[in-house]
């Protein structure tokens, strides 16, 4: 018999539709996966979801953006645990209670309910309005909830010290080298008519500069006092209002496909949780949702997350780019140390901006394999520049272009110019690199690296000319370098050769190993895979996604036809980009397959690694596949290209985004689209027809869009 | 007090059987009960001091001993030489297939379990295997044993989006948390032939014993890993019977605890 009682999660109210919520039934086995999926954050601070208590094998980490320990390969430092309870379990009869966690995407809160013969319910959130403030309210029968210590030590981390102050309220500090996270928390327990309501408010402060510990503790206590005075109801109200404001210009409606609609909102939610409009934000591969990849920042952020943020939260995108810009000096030092000019950004980056890629790992055959990405995956240099350009294209932010992006364009162009080796035939080469397909190492003239470097050099020239900056002689040298850099396009076959002699490799297709997606390197082994044409993920094809205007007309279809059968999709980055490109080429059914796979990658734990955090690049890729792939929306030379290819089963789609500071609403179906914006925007169809206005409509006629 | 039975005969395994039974007795806080069978037509075994003698057909009388309610574990020897293709004698064979309690098989002149053994626990990722070994693993680690987990994928079970070697650590940690929460010092992941990887890891890691869950079926094509490991290793193999599924579920495939598999793409 259920006991009727007030529930903590009722404080939030119900969201408008079910597709504004993501629900997960929690078990002992999937608990750590759900903790990742329901993680909350505000870009500065992140906490894994759910309440940790003795009955579940929790991994209740909290993280502060940009705070790493001082290990040789630095790891995101896990801070004090604020959401632990000694017990929060309802009375249960013969059957174990059922725990369900519901992420209310619209309100930015996590609601949980554990149902046995009685009910324990909770709501928790990371305040969007008050940095470092986290709040939990839990209610249930008095004997079901035992708060215990409001702050607990995180799971053991090598080389990390934990100390507790004795002053009231107590603080708990976790420190490694100069990185320090301090938290203070207070519990208010109210027992009434057999019902217990516990309200816990915690505050986190941090420092990366060996700040005075007492000062941090005092700051924590002060802010805890402030938050406590505001009280639960007001903290919740301001927080949920802030989230609802966030959603207004960027809502996605896909009424006929509630699951897809939910997946897209879920992706937006997590990108927003991982970022903020602060001075800088380091968006690691798993954000602040788990320890996998040590919180390191990869090209995932620049290429997969950034364009999505630029369209939905441009100020957040700007902060992510400033993370790179603030680490220009170490990138310059590295280039100099390697005998180059300009700046070489690290493949894996943490707090300092130095290269932090581990040097080796053990494969599934028990062999120790050198990890060469830190030395050879140099396309990151162009990726960083490309991300800057993507942001400027979406926002038109001239101030950022002048003060930040232009410097990156110049420094990365200098790097490429000094990196290119010119052969006796006068052709430029980039030798000894790794492309996005990481199965093949130490290769020459990787198509992706070469053509992105060429794009980088050209873009630097254009920017310098537009802004009237830079040295004309240097610009001329960049232009020469760009034009003589080998372009591995085979005009006869209409396809790009992925790298020098790729066509000579053993012509094995991915399908010969099984049904992709599959980890071909694990199946064949590190040495064997390099002798075949099987690739891990889009490599040549990434060029069609990132710089489509630089690719020869018609080559998307021929490159797709050649490379997809060779692609194992052994990377979580692969499905979304594949979906996007298939959508652009009109292969809708295949595009939807890969799109759905990307949407389920974390919620179904397809990688078996979601317990270590969610895949933010997959989320960003999913949003790009939707926006750029199916809706055909992307910025180009100050215009907005709109060329929807809406799958018939999707019916009518509504998507809000921000283009050049103007909120835009796109309503699109298979046969027509309508754009409305508060200020006039300039749009262009795939055929090059331009239209400017606040309300633009078009109809598909003979497979082409015509304005009406 | 529960008992660990040690089956003693005149084979070269006897010393190892006794010392392994004593180790397990200490680890499980159980009495050690050494038993020897005097079969009709055969004389008594050489060693009788401290050994309880029973009479009759060895397989039959030892099966009765194993069925006693207070038996926690039993220890017996494998065949006297590694060179034979079949590593188990007929008595051991029979008992392995019927024993309701875990059996430790000790190779001749092999090693016995030390006080705080390092044990390798290969798991196939199914709930039934995990259920079978979890209790023993918990009790042994509480008594000071260290456990190294091992999961060997085949080409169809390996996760599709491994991304990089870095993620294997995450997958291994989660595998260990799901199957032996808080009990492993680490977990290793491999792909290929489970028997080969068990042997290789046991040798590299100086493992003192192997814990294997087993369906108790020795018919042709079954128990290949068990036979292979018994032939190759000189450390005790602790074999834990997998309890049969409840009626009506017997034909269901064993449930895997890891994430889902992706569907096949369209043609």
């Amino acid at each position: 018999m259920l006991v009727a009682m007030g529930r903590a999660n009722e404080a939030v109210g119900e969201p408008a539709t079910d597709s504004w919520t993501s629900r997960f039934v929690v078990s002992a086995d999937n608990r750590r996966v759900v903790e990742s999926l329901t993680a909350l954050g505000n870009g500065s601070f992140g906490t894994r979801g759910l309440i940790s208590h003795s009955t579940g094998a929790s991994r209740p980490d909290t993280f502060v953006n940009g705070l790493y320990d001082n290990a040789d390969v630095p790891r995101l430092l896990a801070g004090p645990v604020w959401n632990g309870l000694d017990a929060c379990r309802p009375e249960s009869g013969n059957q174990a209670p059922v725990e369900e966690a519901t992420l209310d995407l619209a309100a930015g809160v996590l609601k949980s309910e554990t149902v046995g013969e009685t009910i324990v319910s909770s709501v928790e959130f990371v305040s969007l309005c008050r940095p470092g403030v986290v709040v939990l309210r839990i209610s249930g029968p008095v004997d079901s909830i035992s708060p215990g210590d409001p702050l607990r030590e995180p799971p053991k981390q090598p080389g990390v010290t934990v100390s507790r102050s004795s002053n009231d309220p107590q603080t708990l500090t976790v420190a490694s080298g100069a990185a320090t996270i301090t938290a203070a928390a207070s519990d208010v327990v109210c027992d009434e008519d057999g019902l217990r309501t516990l309200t816990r408010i915690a505050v986190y402060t941090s420092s990366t500069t060996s700040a005075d510990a007492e000062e941090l503790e005092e700051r924590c206590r002060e802010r805890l006092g402030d938050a406590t005075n505001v009280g639960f109801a007001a903290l919740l109200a301001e927080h949920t209002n802030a989230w609802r404001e966030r959603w207004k210009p960027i809502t996605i409606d896909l009424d006929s496909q509630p699951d897809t609609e939910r997946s897209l909102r879920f992706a937006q939610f997590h990108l927003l949780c991982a970022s903020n409009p602060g001075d800088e934000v380091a968006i690691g591969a798993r954000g602040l949702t788990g320890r996998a990849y040590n919180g390191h920042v990869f090209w995932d952020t620049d290429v997969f997350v950034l364009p999505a943020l630029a369209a939905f939260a441009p100020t957040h995108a700007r902060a992510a780019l400033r993370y790179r810009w603030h680490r220009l000096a170490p990138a310059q030092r590295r280039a100099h140390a390697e005998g180059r000019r300009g700046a070489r950004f690290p493949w894996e980056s943490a707090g300092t901006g130095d290269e932090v890629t581990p040097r080796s790992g053990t494969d599934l055959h028990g062999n120790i394999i050198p990890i060469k990405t830190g030395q050879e995956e140099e396309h990151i240099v162009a990726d960083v520049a490309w991300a800057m350009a993507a942001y400027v294209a979406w926002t038109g932010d001239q101030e950022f272009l002048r003060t930040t992006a232009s410097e990156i364009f110049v420094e990365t162009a200098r790097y490429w110019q000094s990196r290119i080796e010119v052969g006796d035939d006068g052709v430029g080469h980039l030798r000894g690199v790794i492309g996005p397909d990481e199965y093949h190492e130490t290769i020459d003239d990787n198509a992706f690296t070469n053509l992105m470097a060429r794009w980088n050099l050209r873009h630097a020239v254009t920017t310098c000319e537009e802004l009237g900056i830079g040295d004309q002689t240097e610009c001329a040298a960049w232009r020469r370098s760009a034009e003589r850099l080998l372009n591995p396009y085979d005009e006869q076959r209409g396809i790009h050769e992925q790298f020098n002699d790729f066509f000579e490799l053993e012509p094995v297709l991915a399908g010969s190993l099984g049904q992709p997606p599959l980890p071909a390197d694990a199946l064949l082994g590190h040495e064997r895979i390099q002798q075949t044409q099987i690739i891990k993920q889009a490599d040549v094809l990434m060029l069609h996604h990132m710089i489509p205007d630089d690719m020869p007309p018609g080559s998307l279809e021929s490159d797709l036809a050649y490379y997809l059968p060779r692609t194992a999709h052994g990377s979580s980055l692969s499905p979304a980009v594949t979906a996007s490109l298939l959508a652009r080429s009109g292969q809708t059914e295949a595009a939807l397959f890969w799109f759905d796979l990307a949407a389920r990658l974390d919620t179904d734990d397809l990688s078996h690694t979601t317990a270590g955090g969610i895949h933010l690049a997959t989320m960003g890729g999913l949003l790009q596949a939707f926006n750029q792939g199916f809706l055909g929306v992307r910025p180009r030379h100050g215009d907005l290209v709109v060329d929807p290819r809406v799958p018939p089963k999707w019916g009518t789609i509504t998507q809000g985004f921000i283009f050049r500071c103007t909120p835009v609403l796109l309503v699109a179906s298979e046969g027509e689209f309508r754009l409305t914006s508060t200020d006039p925007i300039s749009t262009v169809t795939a055929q090059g027809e331009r239209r400017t206005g606040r309300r633009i409509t078009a109809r598909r006629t003979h497979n082409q869009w015509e304005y009406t | 007090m529960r008992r660990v039975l040690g089956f003693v005969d005149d084979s070269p395994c006897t010393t190892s059987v006794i010392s392994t039974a004593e180790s397990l007795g200490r680890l499980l806080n159980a009495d050690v009960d050494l038993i020897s069978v005097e079969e009709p037509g055969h004389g008594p075994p050489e060693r009788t001091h401290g050994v309880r003698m029973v009479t009759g057909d060895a397989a039959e009388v030892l099966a009765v001993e194993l069925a006693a309610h207070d038996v926690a574990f039993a220890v017996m020897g494998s065949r006297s030489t590694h060179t034979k293709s079949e590593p188990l004698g007929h008595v051991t064979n029979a008992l392995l297939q019927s024993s309701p309690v875990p059996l430790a098989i000790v190779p001749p002149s092999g090693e016995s379990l030390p006080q705080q053994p390092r044990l390798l626990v290969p798991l196939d990722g199914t709930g039934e295997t995990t259920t079978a070994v979890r209790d023993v693993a918990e009790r042994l680690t509480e008594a000071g044993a260290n456990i190294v987990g091992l999961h060997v994928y085949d080409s169809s079970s390996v996760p599709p989006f491994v991304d990089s070697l870095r993620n294997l650590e995450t997958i291994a940690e989660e595998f260990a948390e799901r199957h032996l929460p808080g009990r492993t010092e680490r977990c290793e992941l491999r792909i290929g032939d489970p028997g080969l990887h068990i042997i290789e890891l046991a040798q590299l890691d100086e493992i003192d014993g192997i814990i294997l869950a087993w369906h108790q079926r020795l018919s042709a094509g079954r128990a290949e890993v068990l036979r292979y490991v018994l032939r190759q290793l000189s450390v005790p193999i602790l074999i834990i019977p997998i309890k049969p599924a409840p009626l009506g579920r017997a034909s269901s495939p064993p449930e895997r605890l890891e994430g889902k598999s992706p569907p096949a793409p369209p043609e």
Side-chain angles (χ1 to χ4, degrees):
Chain A
M1 173 81 86
L2 294 176
V3 177
M5 55 185 56
R7 296 179 190 172
N9 53 12
E10 285 174 352
V12 188
E14 287 300 311
T17 64
D18 191 48
S19 53
W20 276 107
T21 62
S22 292
R23 294 177 199 275
F24 307 97
V25 176
V26 186
S27 69
D29 286 328
N30 77 356
R31 186 168 193 87
R32 291 163 301 279
V33 172
V34 179
E35 285 174 350
S36 298
L37 294 167
T38 58
L40 301 168
N42 58 15
S44 300
F45 172 82
T47 178
R48 286 166 62 79
L50 303 184
I51 292 162
S52 85
H53 52 86
S54 54
T55 57
S58 300
R59 201 172 296 153
D61 287 329
T62 62
F63 303 106
V64 172
N65 192 298
L67 248 69
Y68 297 84
D69 68 13
N70 64 350
D72 288 344
V73 175
R75 294 165 293 225
L76 206 51
L77 182 63
V81 175
W82 73 285
N83 53 2
L85 299 176
D86 280 357
C88 62
R89 190 178 170 87
E91 292 167 25
S92 55
N94 295 329
Q95 290 190 321
V98 175
E99 184 177 359
E100 186 176 87
T102 304
L103 207 49
D104 183 331
L105 305 169
V109 301
L110 172 60
K111 303 182 218 175
S112 298
E113 203 160 79
T114 310
V115 179
E117 290 190 341
T118 57
I119 296 173
V120 171
S121 66
S122 67
V123 58
E124 54 188 303
F125 58 95
V126 174
S127 175
L128 213 52
C129 308
R130 295 166 194 271
V133 173
V134 284
V135 182
L136 163 70
R137 172 166 282 184
I138 181 164
S139 64
V142 169
D143 52 5
S144 298
I145 299 170
S146 175
D149 198 331
L151 288 173
R152 293 152 197 248
E153 294 185 13
K156 197 165 172 52
Q157 304 169 87
V160 172
T161 60
V162 180
S163 57
R164 198 179 277 274
S165 77
S166 52
N167 297 346
D168 189 42
Q170 276 194 6
T171 60
L172 193 64
T173 295
V174 174
S176 173
T180 307
I181 305 174
T182 298
S186 72
D187 279 353
V188 175
V189 178
C190 177
D191 293 345
E192 197 175 327
D193 298 332
L195 174 69
R196 169 165 290 176
T197 302
L198 162 70
T199 305
R200 175 173 294 171
I201 300 176
V203 172
Y204 284 76
T205 56
S206 62
S207 169
T208 53
T209 55
S210 300
D212 180 4
E214 283 182 20
E215 189 188 318
L216 276 183
E217 290 168 9
E218 211 37 58
R219 210 189 306 163
C220 251
R221 290 194 187 97
E222 199 178 303
R223 287 169 52 200
L224 178 62
D226 292 345
T228 308
N229 287 338
V230 172
F232 172 81
L235 289 170
L236 177 64
E238 66 181 16
H239 170 76
T240 55
N241 286 340
W243 263 100
R244 291 190 170 110
E245 285 301 312
R246 270 184 164 185
W247 285 111
K248 276 183 184 170
I250 60 169
T251 295
I252 292 170
D253 290 322
L254 226 159
D255 294 341
S256 69
Q257 305 290 320
D259 290 342
T260 304
E261 186 177 65
R262 179 185 299 108
S263 296
L264 291 163
R265 289 172 178 165
F266 184 76
Q268 287 178 303
F269 177 83
H270 276 299
L271 291 200
L272 292 170
C273 282
S275 58
N276 64 31
D279 179 46
E280 71 161 37
V281 61
I283 303 178
R286 306 298 181 99
L288 301 175
T289 69
R291 296 190 188 195
Y293 281 125
N294 298 333
H296 291 180
V297 180
F298 295 69
W299 77 316
D300 300 41
T301 303
D302 307 284
V303 171
F304 293 85
V305 171
L306 198 286
L309 275 184
F312 296 123
T315 53
H316 295 219
R318 181 184 165 114
L321 294 171
R322 285 176 66 86
Y323 164 81
R324 291 294 194 188
W325 185 63
H326 286 155
R327 283 151 190 81
L328 182 58
Q332 288 169 320
R333 281 197 297 273
R334 180 182 184 183
H336 182 73
E338 293 175 358
R340 316 277 183 217
R341 297 181 64 232
R344 178 176 177 183
F345 286 95
W347 178 245
E348 293 189 29
S349 182
T352 64
D354 294 319
E355 182 64 74
V356 291
T357 306
R359 293 303 182 105
S360 66
T362 304
D363 73 2
L364 282 175
H365 300 273
N367 301 315
I368 294 174
I369 305 291
I371 296 175
K372 296 183 178 175
T373 50
Q375 290 96 61
E376 297 185 0
E377 203 152 355
E378 287 174 77
H379 65 77
I380 182 69
V381 175
D383 301 335
V384 171
W386 180 84
M388 300 263 168
Y391 167 79
V392 172
W394 269 103
T395 62
D397 187 342
Q398 291 300 304
E399 189 257 337
F400 181 84
L401 173 62
R402 278 193 306 276
T403 60
T404 309
S406 59
E407 191 176 6
I408 296 290
F409 297 149
V410 166
E411 289 301 301
T412 49
R414 282 179 178 153
Y415 178 76
W416 290 120
Q417 200 218 339
S418 66
R419 175 67 174 83
I420 292 167
E421 302 166 36
V422 181
D424 295 339
D425 55 358
V427 176
H429 302 276
L430 289 168
R431 298 193 172 102
V433 301
I434 294 177
D437 157 35
E438 293 168 338
Y439 288 168
H440 298 88
E441 299 172 331
T442 323
I443 53 172
D444 296 340
D445 289 319
N446 166 241
F448 182 83
T449 310
N450 278 24
L451 296 188
M452 286 303 295
R454 186 181 72 176
W455 169 88
N456 196 161
L457 289 158
R458 287 174 174 172
H459 197 78
V461 172
T462 310
T463 303
C464 286
E465 287 173 352
E466 281 175 8
L467 297 181
I469 60 171
D471 181 299
Q472 285 190 359
T473 311
E474 192 174 32
C475 282
W478 294 341
R479 194 180 288 115
R480 274 197 308 279
S481 290
E483 301 323 314
R484 69 183 171 197
L485 187 54
L486 187 136
N487 176 3
Y489 181 58
D490 183 333
E491 284 188 26
Q492 271 195 324
R493 300 173 70 179
I495 56 176
H496 295 79
E497 185 171 29
Q498 187 176 299
F499 54 82
N500 187 31
D501 288 338
F502 180 85
F503 292 151
E504 311 306 318
L505 294 175
E506 195 179 332
V508 184
L509 302 185
S512 67
L513 301 181
Q515 191 68 66
L518 48 81
D521 57 340
L523 298 176
L524 289 184
H526 179 251
E527 295 300 325
R528 175 82 183 93
I529 192 74
Q530 302 197 51
Q531 297 159 7
T532 75
Q533 290 181 347
I534 296 176
I535 61 174
K536 181 179 178 183
Q537 59 185 318
D539 189 301
V540 165
L541 293 173
M542 276 307 291
L543 293 163
H544 291 279
H545 181 70
M546 292 171 68
I547 49 172
D549 299 327
D550 285 14
M551 304 304 280
S555 62
L556 169 60
E557 285 71 21
S558 47
D559 279 334
L560 271 172
Y562 183 81
Y563 283 106
L564 270 192
R566 289 162 174 78
T567 308
H569 303 283
S571 163
S572 58
L573 304 176
S574 202
V577 165
T578 302
S580 185
L581 293 170
L582 286 168
R584 293 319 305 148
S585 73
Q587 300 178 61
T588 307
E589 279 309 304
L592 285 172
F593 169 82
W594 291 105
F595 184 81
D596 289 341
L597 204 61
R600 298 194 296 106
L601 193 124
D602 276 322
T603 51
D604 285 4
D605 192 17
L606 297 179
S607 70
H608 298 199
T609 66
T610 300
I614 58 163
H615 295 73
L616 280 184
T618 305
M619 310 261 169
L622 185 76
L623 291 165
Q624 286 194 62
F626 182 70
N627 205 23
Q628 183 170 329
F630 288 107
L631 292 178
V633 172
R634 63 186 176 93
R636 186 173 70 189
H637 309 314
D639 299 319
L640 190 69
V641 179
V642 185
D643 181 19
R645 305 214 172 170
V646 179
K649 76 171 188 180
W650 280 6
T652 300
I653 300 171
T654 303
Q655 190 196 351
F657 54 88
I658 299 160
F659 178 62
R660 303 213 154 210
C661 302
T662 302
V664 179
L665 194 68
L666 170 64
V667 180
S669 62
E670 195 183 1
E672 59 185 349
F673 74 77
R674 184 177 71 247
L675 277 164
T676 50
S677 56
T678 49
D679 293 319
I681 58 168
S682 175
T683 66
V684 62
T685 63
Q687 291 74 44
E689 193 185 346
R690 185 169 280 105
R691 179 70 60 93
T692 301
R694 288 193 180 85
R695 184 181 169 85
I696 296 165
T697 57
R699 215 167 250 131
R700 184 184 283 281
T701 311
H702 307 303
N703 216 24
Q704 291 191 355
W705 291 105
E706 289 180 3
Y707 292 119
T708 57
Chain B
M1 194 82 166
R2 312 250 297 160
R3 287 183 295 148
V4 172
L5 304 184
F7 298 153
V8 177
D9 55 20
D10 288 336
S11 77
C13 299
T14 296
T15 308
S16 301
V17 166
I18 294 171
S19 58
T20 296
E22 286 169 348
S23 295
L24 281 170
R26 274 193 304 273
L27 287 163
L28 300 171
N29 194 26
D31 288 335
V32 174
D33 185 5
L34 300 178
I35 303 172
S36 193
V37 181
E38 186 175 351
E39 292 191 83
H42 293 74
E46 286 173 15
R47 175 175 174 145
T48 54
H49 178 69
V51 176
R52 180 160 62 89
M53 299 299 298
V54 290
T55 308
D57 174 78
E60 286 176 15
V61 296
L62 292 179
V64 172
E65 292 288 340
L66 285 172
H69 68 93
D70 61 343
V71 174
F73 230 106
V75 184
M76 57 199 309
S78 67
R79 244 189 221 290
S80 57
T81 168
H82 287 310
T83 56
K84 294 192 177 176
S85 59
E86 177 52 69
L88 302 172
H90 76 280
V91 175
T92 309
N93 238 326
L95 294 178
L96 267 177
Q97 294 179 78
S98 62
S99 174
V101 298
L103 286 181
I105 306 296
V106 181
S109 53
E111 296 138 34
S112 56
L113 285 182
Q115 291 270 9
Q116 293 190 316
R118 282 170 63 72
L119 300 169
L120 180 66
V121 184
L123 290 165
D124 65 5
T126 59
E128 58 180 13
T129 305
T130 299
T131 305
V133 301
R134 192 175 271 181
D135 180 52
V136 170
E138 280 179 8
R139 283 197 279 157
L140 291 177
T141 49
E142 278 164 14
N146 291 305
I147 284 184
V148 176
L150 170 66
H151 177 60
V152 182
Y153 293 108
D154 61 32
S155 59
S156 64
S157 64
V158 61
F161 303 108
V162 172
D163 274 332
S164 84
L165 296 181
R166 312 270 305 283
N167 269 334
L168 293 177
E169 260 176 55
T170 305
I171 297 173
E173 278 173 20
E174 180 60 16
F175 187 91
E177 276 300 310
R178 289 189 185 197
H179 296 276
L180 294 171
R183 298 294 170 186
T184 54
E185 65 175 42
R186 71 174 205 282
C187 181
E188 294 283 338
L189 300 177
R190 296 287 187 272
I191 186 169
D193 185 321
L196 287 176
H197 286 300
I198 291 170
I199 302 302
E200 184 183 80
L201 196 58
Q203 287 168 345
L204 276 176
D205 231 17
E206 298 182 343
I207 290 292
D208 300 310
I210 315 283
I211 301 181
L212 269 181
W214 184 50
H215 276 103
Q216 297 184 286
R217 292 193 286 268
L218 273 172
S219 50
R222 296 271 184 183
E224 293 295 326
V225 172
L226 175 61
R227 285 192 173 96
Y228 184 73
V229 170
L230 282 168
R231 275 198 298 273
Q232 297 293 323
L233 285 180
S234 59
V235 298
I237 316 294
L238 282 52
I239 299 168
I240 320 295
I242 293 173
K243 299 279 189 287
L247 282 178
R249 289 195 56 201
S251 59
S252 307
E255 182 192 0
R256 283 193 180 276
L257 300 181
E258 276 62 56
K260 296 178 186 175
S261 298
E267 291 299 317

